[in-house]
Amino acid sequence: MSTPLTIDRVYQCLATVMDPEIPVLSVVDLGMITGVELAGSAAVTVKMIPTYAACPALQFIQRNIQVSLERELQVPVLVQVDAATHWHSNRLTAAARQKLEAFALAPPPVSGKVSAEILLHTPCPHCGSKDTYMRSPFGATLCRATHFCKNCGQLFEQFKPLE
Amino acid sequence: MQTLSPALRQLIIAMGDDALILGHRNSEWTGLGPVMEEDIAFSSMAQDKIGHAWALYRVLHEHGGPDPDAFAFLRLAEKYTCCHLVEQPIGEYDFSLMRHFLFDHAEALRYEALADSSFVPLQQLARKIKGELKYHTLHANAWIIQLAQAGEEGKARMQAALEETLPLALGIFEPLAQEAELIASGVYCGEAALQQRWWESLQPILAKAGLALPATGDLEPAYGGRSGWHTQYLAPLLDEMGAVFRLDPEATW
């Protein structure tokens, strides 16, 4: 017996589509999904947003969502970029923050605000110390900043806040 | 599909071309930065700027304009309307940092103003991009202040870079031929108002850095870019930037 097609079922499938740059987070964890509709020209329409406007992985992620959902649900799927909503770091789910910590990538502060204060005291994901400073607001990908921990002497990366 | 007024097209192309050309210049630091973090910073900012240019060219495309890639790579130099500031070679690091500081503060204020634009596609884009640009100005401010306070040579070089770069930076605000129409219809506040806000935003950071801002009245703004008149540096840059694309404009990647 096939499982009925519901919005919940689509979200369950989306929760298995991982981000190519941070493979422990799904597109749902990241808050990239802004809507799911079960009507229209395709059986399922997913609306999504990139984290950064210049994200080079956007088309790759769109394609991943479409292929995964079509394979799981066996219906045509359309994935659209939603221009009306913009991504900010408070769209990350609580589960995403825990997964980032386990991945040794410091999560952004819950305030989500970008000010000079974010340069200092980001908790180190290796030792937990707050005796840290930002070495650069840029990192290996557009969504990361580079910090240094004075306590354990290691560089670490942060998924940086975005307003 | 709604077509854009010539005034709106002019604004979007000027913004897109500034971002594309400065993005290309920033990318010339990839592999050459004075320290690894700076190499990464300029490469990341290059990626952001080129992404922002692409988003602006897409707005044109969605309103009946040409394909964004063809538009970016296949125009003749006189069809680009970037300002002279972004065309300049990367020079020494003091020049590149000063250009980044002056340009990114202007760009951040421009998107801040556009976040309330009556033209919805620009308003939506601005709300996204203005948050991202906070990291560009944060980075610029930190380095301008640190280098200006790093001793006599640092201070002298940053002061000289400021004086060399300011007239070029004033060219960012070259009035657009039909901007009165954009101001009247609430698209944005216009170049003169932006320049005023920019000038005010620079003061506290330069004061902190201990650098002296010359009076604007004494400076000759580098105008001409917005009407397609460019420096000797743009054509060779375009040749290099489009070399791969022109090998096979129909190729899919």
Side-chain angles (χ1 to χ4, degrees):
Chain A
M1 192 182 90
S2 68
T3 323
L5 183 61
T6 62
I7 291 194
D8 276 353
R9 172 111 172 89
V10 175
Y11 271 99
Q12 282 165 19
C13 294
L14 285 168
T16 66
V17 181
M18 308 316 266
D19 180 79
E21 288 179 340
I22 305 173
V24 294
L25 297 186
S26 74
V27 294
V28 177
D29 292 326
L30 277 159
M32 291 172 81
I33 305 300
T34 61
V36 170
E37 287 166 21
L38 298 182
S41 57
V44 177
T45 301
V46 176
K47 287 188 175 171
M48 55 94 66
I49 49 175
T51 53
Y52 281 73
C55 178
L58 176 61
Q59 282 164 313
F60 186 75
I61 297 170
Q62 262 182 290
R63 180 89 194 126
N64 273 356
I65 293 174
Q66 192 194 359
V67 169
S68 306
L69 262 53
E70 286 184 345
R71 189 181 53 223
E72 283 299 314
L73 304 170
Q74 296 290 315
V75 293
V77 174
L78 183 68
V79 184
Q80 289 177 329
V81 175
D82 177 1
T85 312
H86 79 270
W87 190 88
H88 51 83
S89 52
N90 280 348
R91 291 189 63 93
L92 286 169
T93 62
R97 290 174 178 279
Q98 288 177 356
K99 289 176 190 173
L100 282 172
E101 278 181 349
F103 190 57
L105 192 60
V110 179
S111 82
K113 291 286 171 210
V114 178
S115 64
E117 284 75 61
I118 64 162
L119 297 174
L120 294 169
H121 311 313
T122 294
C124 170
H126 303 300
C127 74
S129 170
K130 288 187 176 177
D131 192 9
T132 67
Y133 66 94
M134 187 187 275
R135 291 269 304 207
S136 171
F138 299 100
T141 64
L142 288 181
C143 56
R144 304 188 204 195
T146 312
H147 294 253
F148 184 76
C149 176
K150 292 195 251 183
N151 184 54
C152 70
Q154 293 192 74
L155 279 174
F156 66 90
E157 290 188 306
Q158 177 197 29
F159 194 115
K160 64 196 185 194
L162 187 71
E163 289 176 15
Chain B
M1 191 191 319
Q2 175 205 355
T3 52
L4 301 176
S5 70
L8 202 44
R9 265 180 59 82
Q10 198 179 23
L11 174 68
I12 295 170
I13 295 171
M15 289 172 62
D17 288 353
D18 275 0
L20 177 72
I21 301 302
L22 188 54
H24 184 83
R25 284 298 187 210
N26 283 348
S27 78
E28 292 176 358
W29 280 109
T30 302
L32 299 177
V35 293
M36 199 177 67
E37 286 86 344
E38 283 307 279
D39 197 316
I40 293 169
F42 267 84
S43 305
S44 300
M45 292 189 290
Q47 191 181 340
D48 272 337
K49 296 240 177 292
I50 292 168
H52 299 163
W54 185 76
L56 289 162
Y57 297 153
R58 270 191 65 89
V59 173
L60 294 179
H61 184 54
E62 283 160 7
H63 293 81
D67 169 73
D69 286 329
F71 192 70
F73 294 120
L74 296 180
R75 277 176 291 161
L76 296 170
E78 63 264 30
K79 296 288 183 192
Y80 286 78
T81 57
C82 51
C83 63
H84 294 181
L85 174 71
V86 299
E87 301 170 7
Q88 307 296 309
I90 55 176
E92 301 268 333
Y93 210 59
D94 48 15
F95 171 74
S96 271
L97 267 181
M98 193 55 78
R99 165 163 65 186
H100 154 45
F101 170 70
L102 296 175
F103 183 85
D104 283 308
H105 271 276
E107 201 183 32
L109 291 167
R110 183 177 296 274
Y111 280 110
E112 194 76 50
L114 285 167
D116 298 315
S117 179
S118 59
F119 181 58
V120 173
L122 271 186
Q123 179 207 92
Q124 291 174 337
L125 199 59
R127 288 183 179 180
K128 169 142 200 64
I129 290 177
K130 77 185 176 92
E132 301 181 10
L133 288 175
K134 287 206 166 184
Y135 286 101
H136 295 218
T137 51
L138 193 70
H139 175 264
N141 296 352
W143 277 101
I144 295 294
I145 293 168
Q146 282 181 78
L147 287 177
Q149 292 179 340
E152 248 172 66
E153 190 197 348
K155 182 166 183 174
R157 287 186 66 154
M158 295 316 282
Q159 182 66 43
L162 176 63
E163 286 166 22
E164 178 196 350
T165 316
L166 266 177
L168 288 162
L170 289 170
I172 300 171
F173 309 102
E174 179 177 349
L176 299 172
Q178 302 180 60
E179 73 174 58
E181 190 189 302
L182 299 177
I183 298 169
S185 59
V187 170
Y188 84 134
C189 57
E191 298 300 322
L194 278 180
Q195 183 179 321
Q196 183 59 35
R197 288 177 202 175
W198 171 76
W199 196 253
E200 285 161 15
S201 80
L202 302 178
Q203 320 249 357
I205 300 139
L206 292 173
K208 220 169 167 180
L211 297 176
L213 196 55
T216 23
D218 302 339
L219 301 167
E220 181 74 43
Y223 284 170
R226 302 293 184 225
S227 46
W229 184 85
H230 295 288
T231 66
Q232 59 183 310
Y233 303 115
L234 182 64
L237 179 152
L238 295 174
D239 277 349
E240 184 187 85
M241 189 176 77
V244 175
F245 187 84
R246 284 192 307 270
L247 286 176
D248 185 359
E250 304 297 320
T252 49
W253 297 79

